[in-house]
mmCIF file of all heavy atoms in Angstrom:
data_model
loop_
_atom_site.group_PDB
_atom_site.id
_atom_site.type_symbol
_atom_site.label_atom_id
_atom_site.label_comp_id
_atom_site.label_asym_id
_atom_site.label_seq_id
_atom_site.Cartn_x
_atom_site.Cartn_y
_atom_site.Cartn_z
ATOM 1 N N LEU A 351 51.987 86.749 74.907
ATOM 2 C CA LEU A 351 52.200 85.337 75.294
ATOM 3 C C LEU A 351 53.520 84.945 75.657
ATOM 4 O O LEU A 351 53.701 84.412 76.781
ATOM 5 C CB LEU A 351 51.729 84.366 74.107
ATOM 6 C CG LEU A 351 50.232 84.655 73.663
ATOM 7 C CD1 LEU A 351 49.830 83.727 72.458
ATOM 8 C CD2 LEU A 351 49.220 84.426 74.733
ATOM 9 N N PRO A 352 54.579 85.264 74.889
ATOM 10 C CA PRO A 352 55.952 85.040 75.463
ATOM 11 C C PRO A 352 56.251 85.756 76.762
ATOM 12 O O PRO A 352 56.935 85.335 77.620
ATOM 13 C CB PRO A 352 56.942 85.416 74.422
ATOM 14 C CG PRO A 352 56.113 86.326 73.518
ATOM 15 C CD PRO A 352 54.701 85.838 73.590
ATOM 16 N N GLY A 353 55.594 86.956 76.905
ATOM 17 C CA GLY A 353 55.861 87.702 78.167
ATOM 18 C C GLY A 353 55.308 86.921 79.344
ATOM 19 O O GLY A 353 55.887 86.816 80.435
ATOM 20 N N CYS A 354 54.161 86.240 79.164
ATOM 21 C CA CYS A 354 53.559 85.407 80.247
ATOM 22 C C CYS A 354 54.436 84.203 80.582
ATOM 23 O O CYS A 354 54.637 83.859 81.779
ATOM 24 C CB CYS A 354 52.187 84.841 79.723
ATOM 25 S SG CYS A 354 50.880 86.165 79.605
ATOM 26 N N VAL A 355 54.972 83.635 79.552
ATOM 27 C CA VAL A 355 55.810 82.383 79.833
ATOM 28 C C VAL A 355 57.172 82.870 80.598
ATOM 29 O O VAL A 355 57.481 82.203 81.601
ATOM 30 C CB VAL A 355 56.245 81.758 78.527
ATOM 31 C CG1 VAL A 355 57.242 80.610 78.587
ATOM 32 C CG2 VAL A 355 55.025 81.188 77.730
ATOM 33 N N VAL A 356 57.695 83.964 80.078
ATOM 34 C CA VAL A 356 58.952 84.410 80.813
ATOM 35 C C VAL A 356 58.517 84.828 82.206
ATOM 36 O O VAL A 356 59.360 84.436 83.179
ATOM 37 C CB VAL A 356 59.482 85.610 80.054
ATOM 38 C CG1 VAL A 356 60.675 86.231 80.813
ATOM 39 C CG2 VAL A 356 59.989 85.229 78.723
ATOM 40 N N GLY A 357 57.563 85.553 82.472
ATOM 41 C CA GLY A 357 57.142 85.906 83.765
ATOM 42 C C GLY A 357 56.766 84.748 84.682
ATOM 43 O O GLY A 357 57.177 84.804 85.860
ATOM 44 N N GLY A 358 56.140 83.784 84.132
ATOM 45 C CA GLY A 358 55.859 82.516 84.955
ATOM 46 C C GLY A 358 57.088 81.856 85.456
ATOM 47 O O GLY A 358 57.211 81.452 86.684
ATOM 48 N N LEU A 359 58.090 81.744 84.617
ATOM 49 C CA LEU A 359 59.391 81.202 84.940
ATOM 50 C C LEU A 359 60.150 81.987 86.019
ATOM 51 O O LEU A 359 60.673 81.551 86.903
ATOM 52 C CB LEU A 359 60.293 80.896 83.695
ATOM 53 C CG LEU A 359 59.723 79.905 82.722
ATOM 54 C CD1 LEU A 359 60.600 79.975 81.398
ATOM 55 C CD2 LEU A 359 59.778 78.521 83.229
ATOM 56 N N LEU A 360 60.129 83.336 85.796
ATOM 57 C CA LEU A 360 60.753 84.221 86.671
ATOM 58 C C LEU A 360 60.170 84.177 88.115
ATOM 59 O O LEU A 360 60.878 84.274 89.179
ATOM 60 C CB LEU A 360 60.710 85.686 86.180
ATOM 61 C CG LEU A 360 61.501 86.003 84.952
ATOM 62 C CD1 LEU A 360 61.366 87.435 84.521
ATOM 63 C CD2 LEU A 360 63.042 85.747 85.175
ATOM 64 N N MET A 361 58.854 84.084 88.173
ATOM 65 C CA MET A 361 58.270 84.112 89.547
ATOM 66 C C MET A 361 58.673 82.970 90.343
ATOM 67 O O MET A 361 58.752 83.057 91.612
ATOM 68 C CB MET A 361 56.728 84.040 89.399
ATOM 69 C CG MET A 361 56.108 85.393 89.052
ATOM 70 S SD MET A 361 54.350 85.494 89.362
ATOM 71 C CE MET A 361 53.732 84.207 88.241
ATOM 72 N N ASP A 362 58.965 81.741 89.798
ATOM 73 C CA ASP A 362 59.481 80.665 90.573
ATOM 74 C C ASP A 362 60.889 80.681 90.882
ATOM 75 O O ASP A 362 61.402 79.911 91.594
ATOM 76 C CB ASP A 362 59.023 79.315 89.808
ATOM 77 C CG ASP A 362 57.647 78.991 89.843
ATOM 78 O OD1 ASP A 362 56.967 79.419 90.784
ATOM 79 O OD2 ASP A 362 57.095 78.450 88.937
#
Side-chain angles (χ1 to χ4, degrees):
L351 303 180
C354 294
V355 175
V356 172
L359 294 171
L360 290 178
M361 283 198 297
D362 288 329

